[in-house]
């Protein structure tokens, strides 16, 4: 490419000045960039690279699969890695879910989950059903495709496409105690209020028209690692069961060990009817996701058409499946979910100790190796910072500069979908105490530097 030519690869930004740095290699918890910097990956990308980069066991498994069969059409053939991966995933739910559909990305999994929920009801009424409505939550994120974007709520990502989005989706409040619990309200009262709100939405739509309620048991990007309050998942399960609707848990970002449990719903022992998983599934070694389904839904298909009316070219693709299988086996063999729980507790403790009193920090929250820091202008009122400051983006950009060299996952919209800055820390499950200390040191250094930049503006 000549010096006067624009790059042909389409980034989110199409201007040269905003093109991201080029990674030339990755090993363990570090990226090496084209400019020579060695960046500590404190976020696993978007909570993806759970076993770090360059894992020999996974690489060898993928190479063996390439030498065996790289692709076969999922409508004509099955393949051993897909079958073994499905068995592993279902086994991890201790029998609460019974089938797995292997796909390519989180957005695809959410689309498939919504289609499956609708088909579940259509199968019972000879192909048509009035259960066409989906209830989702404000302050959520489910993916970039049209249906996934429709049930999600990051305003900066969906507003442009509003004319294209589904009209059969409505939203209720998230479970976000730090921002939305009222003064003097107990956790039990707060959960009861959210349960009543969901019930009211069922009644507004007509309970017989609702196919499913979809939510993240632990919200990642949109709100910054918000964990469901005790009793909340059981409360929404009860509402869905009362009205015969399905419950879909989106665990693309928070699942498969990220929270310190194999599945985030296992903390509350409340299983969904349909679950999506991704990110940690393939650990970054292959594009892969899955939809897990309980026996109730499967039995409806068995009594009806006998199949899920869905198919994609790269469904159950052998390379993605073997990458996921090897990743999950490595996690099991090395007891890394337990390590995520232990090191996650230490990470949260250190973030609170070193950032809890920072002038910009409103809340430090999380579970397992999934922690968020929400930034505010005022700690008491929780008023967000002016979006014009671009604080979250500043933090991410500063982390990639010489002298800081840490990858921080920045996001916005934590307060109302538009306003609010937050960042996420989600290191590999292989992380050890010294790694946690180094991550926190670098993040604190970034925060101190950015605070110097914006202090004068905030004082004015």
């Amino acid at each position: 490419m000549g010096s006067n030519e624009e790059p042909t690869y389409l980034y989110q930004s199409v201007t040269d000045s905003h093109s991201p740095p080029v990674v030339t290699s990755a090993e363990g918890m570090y990226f090496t960039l084209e400019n020579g910097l060695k960046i500590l990956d404190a976020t696993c990308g978007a909570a993806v690279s759970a076993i770090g980069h360059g894992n020999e066991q996974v690489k060898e498994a993928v190479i063996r699969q390439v030498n065996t069969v790289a692709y076969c059409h999922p409508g004509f053939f099955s393949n051993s890695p897909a079958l073994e991966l499905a068995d592993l995933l279902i086994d991890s739910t201790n029998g609460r879910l019974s089938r797995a559909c292997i796909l390519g990305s989180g957005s695809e999994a959410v689309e498939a989950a919504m289609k499956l929920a609708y088909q579940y009801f259509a199968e019972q009424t000879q192909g048509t059903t009035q259960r066409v409505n989906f209830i989702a939550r404000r302050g959520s994120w489910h993916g970039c495709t049209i249906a996934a974007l429709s049930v999600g709520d990051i305003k900066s990502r969906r507003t442009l496409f509003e004319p294209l989005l589904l009209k059969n989706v409505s939203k209720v409040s998230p479970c976000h105690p730090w921002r939305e619990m009222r003064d003097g309200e107990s956790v039990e009262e707060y959960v009861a209020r959210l349960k009543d709100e969901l019930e009211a939405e069922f009644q507004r739509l007509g309970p017989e028209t609702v196919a499913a309620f979809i939510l993240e048991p632990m919200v990642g990007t949109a709100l910054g690692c918000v964990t469901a309050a005790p009793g909340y998942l059981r409360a929404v399960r009860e509402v869905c069961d009362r009205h015969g609707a399905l419950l879909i848990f989106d665990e693309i970002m928070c699942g498969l060990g990220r929270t310190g449990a194999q599945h985030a719903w296992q903390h509350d022992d409340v299983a969904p009817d349909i679950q999506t998983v991704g990110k940690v599934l393939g650990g970054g070694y292959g594009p892969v996701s899955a939809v897990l389904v309980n026996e109730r839904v499967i039995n409806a298909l068995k009594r009806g058409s006998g199949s899920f009316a869905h198919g994609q070219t790269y469904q159950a693709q052998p390379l993605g499946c073997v990458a996921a299988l090897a990743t999950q086996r490595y996690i099991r063999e090395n007891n890394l979910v337990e390590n995520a729980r232990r090191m996650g507790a230490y990470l949260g403790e250190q973030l609170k100790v070193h950032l809890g009193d920072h002038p910009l920090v409103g809340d430090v929250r999380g579970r397992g190796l999934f922690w968020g820091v929400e930034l505010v202008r005022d700690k008491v009122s929780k008023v967000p910072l002016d979006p014009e400051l671009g604080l979250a983006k500043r933090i991410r950009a500063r982390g990639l500069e010489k002298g800081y060299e840490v990858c921080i996952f920045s996001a916005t919209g934590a307060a109302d979908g538009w306003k609010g800055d937050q960042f996420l820390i989600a290191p590999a499950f292989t992380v050890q105490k010294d790694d946690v200390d180094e991550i926190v040191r670098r993040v604190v250094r970034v925060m101190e530097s950015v605070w110097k930049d914006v202090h004068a503006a905030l004082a004015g």
Side-chain angles (χ1 to χ4, degrees):
M1 183 176 70
S3 59
N4 294 323
E5 295 178 358
E6 291 187 353
T8 55
Y9 180 74
L10 180 63
Y11 297 102
Q12 287 177 303
S13 173
V14 296
T15 59
D16 288 339
S17 60
H18 291 91
S19 296
V22 175
V23 173
T24 58
S25 64
E27 187 69 27
M29 292 179 60
Y30 288 85
F31 290 116
T32 300
L33 304 185
E34 192 175 46
N35 62 11
L37 292 183
K38 192 173 182 180
I39 304 295
L40 175 55
D41 183 8
T43 70
C44 290
V48 173
S49 305
I51 60 172
H53 306 281
N55 183 280
E56 291 297 330
Q57 186 170 314
V58 180
K59 287 194 296 183
E60 290 171 5
V62 172
I63 291 170
R64 286 195 301 271
Q65 189 62 43
V66 169
N67 291 331
T68 304
V69 56
Y71 177 77
C72 55
H73 190 284
F76 304 158
F77 307 100
S78 186
N79 64 84
S80 294
L83 297 174
E84 292 177 40
L85 179 60
D87 286 344
L88 182 148
L89 288 171
I90 294 309
D91 177 68
S92 73
T93 71
N94 296 320
R96 305 292 286 276
L97 300 168
S98 60
R99 293 290 180 96
C101 176
I102 313 298
L103 299 164
S105 73
S107 296
E108 292 172 32
V110 170
E111 297 267 339
M114 293 175 68
K115 290 172 64 178
L116 183 57
Y118 174 79
Q119 186 179 342
Y120 166 75
F121 292 104
E123 292 280 9
Q124 300 174 66
T125 52
Q126 289 72 54
T128 61
T129 177
Q130 60 181 331
R131 286 192 182 262
V132 297
N133 290 316
F134 289 83
I135 302 175
R137 302 192 304 181
R138 293 185 291 277
S140 61
W141 179 243
H142 298 289
C144 290
T145 49
I146 294 300
L149 201 58
S150 298
V151 292
D153 191 43
I154 296 182
K155 301 292 194 296
S156 61
R157 298 187 185 184
R158 63 170 274 146
T159 300
L160 174 65
F161 303 104
E162 287 283 356
L164 305 179
L165 302 185
L166 302 180
K167 309 307 179 189
N168 58 329
V169 175
S170 60
K171 294 185 172 69
V172 295
S173 299
C175 184
H176 193 352
W178 184 73
R179 274 211 169 269
E180 301 202 358
M181 273 183 66
R182 297 167 181 167
D183 290 343
E185 188 175 41
S186 69
V187 171
E188 292 78 14
E189 290 168 336
Y190 176 52
V191 168
R193 177 159 61 87
L194 293 177
K195 183 178 182 181
D196 288 345
E197 182 185 350
L198 180 61
E199 174 66 30
E201 186 61 15
F202 267 87
Q203 296 301 329
R204 187 187 73 83
L205 295 168
E208 71 284 354
T209 72
V210 178
F213 179 36
I214 180 171
L215 64 101
E216 299 163 275
M218 184 172 177
V219 184
T221 303
L223 295 181
C225 298
V226 173
T227 303
Y232 174 76
L233 295 184
R234 189 162 302 282
V236 301
R237 173 82 266 180
E238 289 172 0
V239 175
C240 290
D241 287 347
R242 182 163 59 252
H243 298 300
L246 299 181
L247 182 59
I248 302 173
F249 284 168
D250 179 354
E251 294 205 11
I252 298 295
M253 198 172 198
C254 67
L256 299 180
R258 176 57 64 187
T259 67
Q262 184 66 31
H263 302 282
W265 55 261
Q266 289 174 331
H267 291 287
D268 300 270
D269 192 30
V270 178
D273 298 298
I274 301 173
Q275 177 185 354
T276 60
V277 294
K279 298 191 185 295
V280 166
L281 181 58
Y285 292 92
V288 60
S289 64
V291 179
L292 311 183
V293 191
N294 72 6
E295 196 66 20
R296 168 190 176 189
V297 175
I298 294 300
N299 284 338
L301 270 61
K302 286 179 178 178
R303 290 191 297 266
S305 65
S307 64
F308 177 29
H310 184 80
Q312 297 178 219
T313 300
Y314 284 95
Q315 187 171 328
Q317 200 264 349
L319 294 181
C321 289
V322 82
L325 193 61
T327 297
Q328 295 307 307
R329 284 174 173 166
Y330 187 86
I331 290 172
R332 285 192 176 191
E333 290 164 3
N334 292 278
N335 202 25
L336 293 185
V337 174
E338 171 60 19
N339 191 62
R341 186 191 65 77
R342 289 187 298 101
M343 288 297 102
Y346 181 66
L347 172 61
E349 171 191 293
Q350 293 303 303
L351 287 171
K352 290 176 181 179
V353 166
H354 294 283
L355 289 179
D357 294 330
H358 192 282
L360 292 173
V361 174
D363 192 31
V364 179
R365 55 185 176 246
R367 175 182 268 171
L369 287 174
F370 202 33
W371 285 85
V373 178
E374 184 167 347
L375 310 168
V376 294
R377 184 181 180 92
D378 180 80
K379 288 175 175 284
V380 177
S381 67
K382 303 176 185 178
V383 171
L385 292 138
D386 186 341
E388 292 297 317
L389 282 173
L391 192 67
K393 290 182 179 179
R394 286 178 186 242
I395 289 169
R396 180 179 64 189
R398 186 61 46 82
L400 298 181
E401 293 177 8
K402 187 174 182 179
Y404 303 96
E405 296 158 48
V406 60
C407 183
I408 301 171
F409 190 104
S410 64
T412 57
D416 64 4
W418 281 113
K419 294 181 180 178
D421 295 88
Q422 68 266 23
F423 66 83
L424 278 60
I425 302 297
F429 296 3
T430 54
V431 70
Q432 299 299 312
K433 187 173 180 290
D434 289 347
D435 302 315
V436 170
D437 291 338
E438 185 61 28
I439 288 169
V440 173
R441 273 195 294 271
R442 296 191 189 198
V443 171
V444 169
R445 196 178 306 144
V446 169
M447 288 292 290
E448 291 172 347
S449 175
V450 171
W451 170 240
K452 291 178 183 177
D453 289 350
V454 302
H455 179 61
L458 293 175

